[in-house]
Amino acid sequence: MTSLTTRPNISGPDDFYADLIAAHEGLSKAESDAFNARLILLLANHIGERKILTEALEAAKS
């Protein structure tokens, strides 16, 4: 059984962060919030494992 990975695990994290910021350029607050919601749902669907998603929700709270 897998668990949530919380250690750094993104190849090119600075590049990813730059891409994430660039994706928000020109968006209103509402559009940015909607973009974030869509991104979260896409990534949650990709993860797929409910246990890991629950761990992520709990980790994000703390």
Side-chain angles (χ1 to χ4, degrees):
M1 181 177 294
T2 28
S3 61
L4 181 67
T5 299
T6 57
R7 63 177 169 63
N9 193 38
I10 298 172
S11 175
D14 293 335
D15 293 334
F16 172 74
Y17 184 75
D19 291 343
L20 181 60
I21 296 303
H24 287 267
E25 286 181 20
L27 300 180
S28 68
K29 171 75 167 109
E31 291 168 332
S32 180
D33 290 347
F35 174 88
N36 283 335
R38 289 190 303 272
L39 180 59
I40 289 166
L41 291 173
L42 285 167
L43 294 173
N45 185 65
H46 177 75
I47 292 166
E49 292 186 42
R50 187 70 168 96
K51 177 184 175 294
I52 293 174
L53 295 172
T54 299
E55 288 178 35
L57 290 171
E58 292 301 317
K61 286 181 186 179
S62 57

